[in-house]
Amino acid sequence: MSGLGGLDRPGAPTSPGAWDERSGEWLGAEPHKRENGADTHAAAAAAGADGAFTAKEPAVAGADKRSTTATEPAGAGSRPAATRRTGADPVKALMHRHRELCERAVDPLEIAAGLEAHGVTDRTAARFLHRDVFSLAEEMYARVPRDAETPTGVPPLTTPRARADWLLLTLLPGASCAAAMTALHLTHGQSRLIAAAVGALAVALALRAALARGPLAATDRTNPTATRTSWLIAYALLGDGLLRAAANGGPDALPTGTTDGSWPFATVPVLALTLSCAPAAWCAHLLAVRARCKLSASRGLGEFATSVKPLLLGTFALYLGALTALLTLTTTALDESAAYPQTLTLGALLFLARLLTTHGFTHAPALVLTAAASAEATALAALFAARLPGCAWLATPVQALIDTWGPVAVPTIACGAGALTLLLHATRTLTRASAHATQDQPW
């Protein structure tokens, strides 16, 4: 597909190299011949003085009279040279630019989403004599040549359904993390460290399986944010204790897997986050289903964006409510101090990052997760670097945050700023039709 630089001035390509044999099929519906030097264009005469074109067979303007046919002598054994004309039908020219999109589309909504993804707006559609992108897509879909056995009816837009496999997989991270926490409380010494290592491996594998299928699965199997996500979860488990110990001149020993040592474990945030995989998947599924329904009922890009934005914000609020309930439950069950600020901001950041990644927007989540992880790592590095001679000033900003709000201020600010950035980005990207019209779902 070519670029959209010429969409503001619709017209067919004028260079000979832009047309191939398949492109000629788009123009095959209107033969252009000269017999005995006379131009026979019945369609041009029927078009009227205004030169308007219909959806099925556009009239050809008088500019087509400039095309010529050069025939060689009959004895030379050559056939007449191919004729080529300038396009009087801007919709046909647009179909040529987006030929692959038109050929593979299974319904007009997919064409509308593809046009929107390439920058076509309702104002651009008006230049093609259509009220909106949806109407333009319907004409493009109707004019695509199809086999005779292909049904002419437009298939309904399918909506994803909940399946038992991914429903069970979303429960695995929470179950494996709960088992690991139980093992930590029942073991001591070296056995506790072994249980912690095995539990961390089990949780990582469970998370990988849960994110491989279902509404949280990405179409691209590569996961560029896995390292950043692992760091953020590890910091939720060990970061606050290490930050507090470093501010007081420690740590004096390695973590022992308990919550009352010199370098304590924060088990409540990790357990609540792993348990929230199930509600996160349900919220993403709800967004996908409701957005598909609104896409089928919408007649304009602006109308669809207006209707989807409250749905997106409501889904985000629903996940935060579920995470808050799980955090309260785990705090009571483990009899530990609540960690609401840092856990809620981290959960919001991870949920929005995964939601954007699932719909194909991977660049912004990677940048924001990198920034949040770098901020936490920088805070730790500043405290340790301040112990070098003449470098005490490096710890001044971090120490001021710790003295004012405690160690929770660092992850809360880092993850909260990242979550707010991704939320603003999601309200712009996930309210587009192109983010919800993909037919081939990985689940």
Side-chain angles (χ1 to χ4, degrees), residues 164-174 206-207 209-214 277:
D165 54 354
W166 65 260
L167 288 176
L168 295 176
L169 286 176
T170 56
L171 299 175
L172 282 181
L207 283 173
L211 298 180
R213 298 185 63 83
C277 283

PDB file of all heavy atoms in Angstrom, residues 164-174 206-207 209-214 277:
ATOM      1  N   ALA A 164     -12.994 -21.611  28.352  1.00  0.00           N
ATOM      2  CA  ALA A 164     -12.595 -22.215  29.617  1.00  0.00           C
ATOM      3  C   ALA A 164     -11.083 -22.279  29.770  1.00  0.00           C
ATOM      4  O   ALA A 164     -10.558 -22.193  30.888  1.00  0.00           O
ATOM      5  CB  ALA A 164     -13.196 -23.620  29.734  1.00  0.00           C
ATOM      6  N   ASP A 165     -10.342 -22.413  28.651  1.00  0.00           N
ATOM      7  CA  ASP A 165      -8.890 -22.575  28.767  1.00  0.00           C
ATOM      8  C   ASP A 165      -8.229 -21.325  29.334  1.00  0.00           C
ATOM      9  O   ASP A 165      -7.452 -21.392  30.294  1.00  0.00           O
ATOM     10  CB  ASP A 165      -8.288 -22.953  27.416  1.00  0.00           C
ATOM     11  CG  ASP A 165      -8.678 -21.980  26.317  1.00  0.00           C
ATOM     12  OD1 ASP A 165      -9.508 -21.081  26.573  1.00  0.00           O
ATOM     13  OD2 ASP A 165      -8.150 -22.109  25.193  1.00  0.00           O
ATOM     14  N   TRP A 166      -8.549 -20.148  28.750  1.00  0.00           N
ATOM     15  CA  TRP A 166      -7.893 -18.953  29.277  1.00  0.00           C
ATOM     16  C   TRP A 166      -8.488 -18.510  30.606  1.00  0.00           C
ATOM     17  O   TRP A 166      -7.830 -17.819  31.395  1.00  0.00           O
ATOM     18  CB  TRP A 166      -7.901 -17.815  28.254  1.00  0.00           C
ATOM     19  CG  TRP A 166      -9.213 -17.224  27.859  1.00  0.00           C
ATOM     20  CD1 TRP A 166      -9.926 -17.478  26.738  1.00  0.00           C
ATOM     21  CD2 TRP A 166      -9.957 -16.211  28.569  1.00  0.00           C
ATOM     22  NE1 TRP A 166     -11.067 -16.711  26.708  1.00  0.00           N
ATOM     23  CE2 TRP A 166     -11.113 -15.918  27.804  1.00  0.00           C
ATOM     24  CE3 TRP A 166      -9.759 -15.527  29.762  1.00  0.00           C
ATOM     25  CZ2 TRP A 166     -12.065 -14.979  28.195  1.00  0.00           C
ATOM     26  CZ3 TRP A 166     -10.704 -14.600  30.154  1.00  0.00           C
ATOM     27  CH2 TRP A 166     -11.833 -14.324  29.384  1.00  0.00           C
ATOM     28  N   LEU A 167      -9.735 -18.900  30.882  1.00  0.00           N
ATOM     29  CA  LEU A 167     -10.290 -18.595  32.199  1.00  0.00           C
ATOM     30  C   LEU A 167      -9.513 -19.311  33.299  1.00  0.00           C
ATOM     31  O   LEU A 167      -9.218 -18.735  34.352  1.00  0.00           O
ATOM     32  CB  LEU A 167     -11.761 -19.001  32.243  1.00  0.00           C
ATOM     33  CG  LEU A 167     -12.736 -18.132  31.434  1.00  0.00           C
ATOM     34  CD1 LEU A 167     -14.138 -18.717  31.505  1.00  0.00           C
ATOM     35  CD2 LEU A 167     -12.737 -16.705  31.936  1.00  0.00           C
ATOM     36  N   LEU A 168      -9.160 -20.564  33.066  1.00  0.00           N
ATOM     37  CA  LEU A 168      -8.389 -21.322  34.050  1.00  0.00           C
ATOM     38  C   LEU A 168      -6.946 -20.833  34.117  1.00  0.00           C
ATOM     39  O   LEU A 168      -6.345 -20.801  35.202  1.00  0.00           O
ATOM     40  CB  LEU A 168      -8.439 -22.816  33.718  1.00  0.00           C
ATOM     41  CG  LEU A 168      -9.820 -23.472  33.816  1.00  0.00           C
ATOM     42  CD1 LEU A 168      -9.747 -24.929  33.376  1.00  0.00           C
ATOM     43  CD2 LEU A 168     -10.358 -23.374  35.240  1.00  0.00           C
ATOM     44  N   LEU A 169      -6.392 -20.453  32.972  1.00  0.00           N
ATOM     45  CA  LEU A 169      -5.000 -19.999  32.967  1.00  0.00           C
ATOM     46  C   LEU A 169      -4.822 -18.701  33.758  1.00  0.00           C
ATOM     47  O   LEU A 169      -3.774 -18.486  34.375  1.00  0.00           O
ATOM     48  CB  LEU A 169      -4.521 -19.798  31.528  1.00  0.00           C
ATOM     49  CG  LEU A 169      -4.250 -21.069  30.719  1.00  0.00           C
ATOM     50  CD1 LEU A 169      -3.883 -20.722  29.285  1.00  0.00           C
ATOM     51  CD2 LEU A 169      -3.146 -21.900  31.362  1.00  0.00           C
ATOM     52  N   THR A 170      -5.834 -17.837  33.760  1.00  0.00           N
ATOM     53  CA  THR A 170      -5.699 -16.589  34.512  1.00  0.00           C
ATOM     54  C   THR A 170      -5.708 -16.809  36.022  1.00  0.00           C
ATOM     55  O   THR A 170      -5.306 -15.919  36.776  1.00  0.00           O
ATOM     56  CB  THR A 170      -6.839 -15.629  34.142  1.00  0.00           C
ATOM     57  OG1 THR A 170      -8.098 -16.271  34.375  1.00  0.00           O
ATOM     58  CG2 THR A 170      -6.735 -15.205  32.687  1.00  0.00           C
ATOM     59  N   LEU A 171      -6.154 -17.970  36.460  1.00  0.00           N
ATOM     60  CA  LEU A 171      -6.146 -18.290  37.891  1.00  0.00           C
ATOM     61  C   LEU A 171      -4.824 -18.884  38.352  1.00  0.00           C
ATOM     62  O   LEU A 171      -4.561 -18.942  39.562  1.00  0.00           O
ATOM     63  CB  LEU A 171      -7.280 -19.267  38.224  1.00  0.00           C
ATOM     64  CG  LEU A 171      -8.704 -18.777  37.935  1.00  0.00           C
ATOM     65  CD1 LEU A 171      -9.701 -19.898  38.209  1.00  0.00           C
ATOM     66  CD2 LEU A 171      -9.035 -17.552  38.775  1.00  0.00           C
ATOM     67  N   LEU A 172      -3.994 -19.339  37.411  1.00  0.00           N
ATOM     68  CA  LEU A 172      -2.741 -19.987  37.786  1.00  0.00           C
ATOM     69  C   LEU A 172      -1.759 -19.065  38.512  1.00  0.00           C
ATOM     70  O   LEU A 172      -1.141 -19.486  39.503  1.00  0.00           O
ATOM     71  CB  LEU A 172      -2.072 -20.580  36.545  1.00  0.00           C
ATOM     72  CG  LEU A 172      -2.633 -21.909  36.029  1.00  0.00           C
ATOM     73  CD1 LEU A 172      -1.842 -22.360  34.799  1.00  0.00           C
ATOM     74  CD2 LEU A 172      -2.569 -22.963  37.124  1.00  0.00           C
ATOM     75  N   PRO A 173      -1.538 -17.818  38.056  1.00  0.00           N
ATOM     76  CA  PRO A 173      -0.562 -16.973  38.770  1.00  0.00           C
ATOM     77  C   PRO A 173      -0.926 -16.759  40.229  1.00  0.00           C
ATOM     78  O   PRO A 173      -0.060 -16.865  41.109  1.00  0.00           O
ATOM     79  CB  PRO A 173      -0.592 -15.656  37.982  1.00  0.00           C
ATOM     80  CG  PRO A 173      -1.049 -16.038  36.626  1.00  0.00           C
ATOM     81  CD  PRO A 173      -2.024 -17.146  36.828  1.00  0.00           C
ATOM     82  N   GLY A 174      -2.180 -16.460  40.515  1.00  0.00           N
ATOM     83  CA  GLY A 174      -2.580 -16.264  41.899  1.00  0.00           C
ATOM     84  C   GLY A 174      -2.450 -17.529  42.725  1.00  0.00           C
ATOM     85  O   GLY A 174      -2.013 -17.485  43.879  1.00  0.00           O
ATOM     86  N   ALA A 206       3.629 -19.396  35.369  1.00  0.00           N
ATOM     87  CA  ALA A 206       2.182 -19.236  35.370  1.00  0.00           C
ATOM     88  C   ALA A 206       1.769 -17.932  34.689  1.00  0.00           C
ATOM     89  O   ALA A 206       0.784 -17.886  33.935  1.00  0.00           O
ATOM     90  CB  ALA A 206       1.653 -19.287  36.801  1.00  0.00           C
ATOM     91  N   LEU A 207       2.499 -16.866  34.943  1.00  0.00           N
ATOM     92  CA  LEU A 207       2.206 -15.596  34.277  1.00  0.00           C
ATOM     93  C   LEU A 207       2.410 -15.702  32.774  1.00  0.00           C
ATOM     94  O   LEU A 207       1.616 -15.158  31.985  1.00  0.00           O
ATOM     95  CB  LEU A 207       3.088 -14.492  34.858  1.00  0.00           C
ATOM     96  CG  LEU A 207       2.692 -13.926  36.204  1.00  0.00           C
ATOM     97  CD1 LEU A 207       3.764 -12.976  36.722  1.00  0.00           C
ATOM     98  CD2 LEU A 207       1.350 -13.220  36.139  1.00  0.00           C
ATOM     99  N   ALA A 209       2.077 -18.364  30.947  1.00  0.00           N
ATOM    100  CA  ALA A 209       0.972 -19.141  30.389  1.00  0.00           C
ATOM    101  C   ALA A 209      -0.320 -18.327  30.359  1.00  0.00           C
ATOM    102  O   ALA A 209      -1.105 -18.413  29.404  1.00  0.00           O
ATOM    103  CB  ALA A 209       0.774 -20.421  31.197  1.00  0.00           C
ATOM    104  N   ALA A 210      -0.556 -17.528  31.401  1.00  0.00           N
ATOM    105  CA  ALA A 210      -1.790 -16.740  31.460  1.00  0.00           C
ATOM    106  C   ALA A 210      -1.828 -15.654  30.395  1.00  0.00           C
ATOM    107  O   ALA A 210      -2.903 -15.303  29.880  1.00  0.00           O
ATOM    108  CB  ALA A 210      -1.946 -16.127  32.846  1.00  0.00           C
ATOM    109  N   LEU A 211      -0.662 -15.114  30.054  1.00  0.00           N
ATOM    110  CA  LEU A 211      -0.603 -14.045  29.063  1.00  0.00           C
ATOM    111  C   LEU A 211      -0.439 -14.557  27.638  1.00  0.00           C
ATOM    112  O   LEU A 211      -0.374 -13.760  26.704  1.00  0.00           O
ATOM    113  CB  LEU A 211       0.552 -13.093  29.393  1.00  0.00           C
ATOM    114  CG  LEU A 211       0.452 -12.361  30.732  1.00  0.00           C
ATOM    115  CD1 LEU A 211       1.664 -11.459  30.937  1.00  0.00           C
ATOM    116  CD2 LEU A 211      -0.836 -11.570  30.835  1.00  0.00           C
ATOM    117  N   ALA A 212      -0.345 -15.873  27.475  1.00  0.00           N
ATOM    118  CA  ALA A 212      -0.192 -16.439  26.140  1.00  0.00           C
ATOM    119  C   ALA A 212      -1.528 -16.622  25.436  1.00  0.00           C
ATOM    120  O   ALA A 212      -1.572 -16.694  24.202  1.00  0.00           O
ATOM    121  CB  ALA A 212       0.541 -17.781  26.213  1.00  0.00           C
ATOM    122  N   ARG A 213      -2.613 -16.727  26.200  1.00  0.00           N
ATOM    123  CA  ARG A 213      -3.943 -16.906  25.623  1.00  0.00           C
ATOM    124  C   ARG A 213      -4.923 -15.981  26.330  1.00  0.00           C
ATOM    125  O   ARG A 213      -4.668 -15.518  27.431  1.00  0.00           O
ATOM    126  CB  ARG A 213      -4.409 -18.367  25.762  1.00  0.00           C
ATOM    127  CG  ARG A 213      -3.532 -19.368  25.022  1.00  0.00           C
ATOM    128  CD  ARG A 213      -4.122 -20.759  25.111  1.00  0.00           C
ATOM    129  NE  ARG A 213      -5.422 -20.822  24.469  1.00  0.00           N
ATOM    130  CZ  ARG A 213      -5.607 -20.987  23.165  1.00  0.00           C
ATOM    131  NH1 ARG A 213      -4.569 -21.101  22.367  1.00  0.00           N
ATOM    132  NH2 ARG A 213      -6.824 -21.039  22.650  1.00  0.00           N
ATOM    133  N   GLY A 214      -6.039 -15.750  25.654  1.00  0.00           N
ATOM    134  CA  GLY A 214      -7.063 -14.939  26.270  1.00  0.00           C
ATOM    135  C   GLY A 214      -6.996 -13.487  25.877  1.00  0.00           C
ATOM    136  O   GLY A 214      -6.202 -13.078  25.016  1.00  0.00           O
ATOM    137  N   CYS A 277      -4.819 -11.098  38.052  1.00  0.00           N
ATOM    138  CA  CYS A 277      -4.758 -11.479  36.635  1.00  0.00           C
ATOM    139  C   CYS A 277      -6.129 -11.887  36.118  1.00  0.00           C
ATOM    140  O   CYS A 277      -6.488 -11.591  34.972  1.00  0.00           O
ATOM    141  CB  CYS A 277      -3.767 -12.629  36.449  1.00  0.00           C
ATOM    142  SG  CYS A 277      -2.034 -12.125  36.479  1.00  0.00           S
TER     143      CYS A 277
END
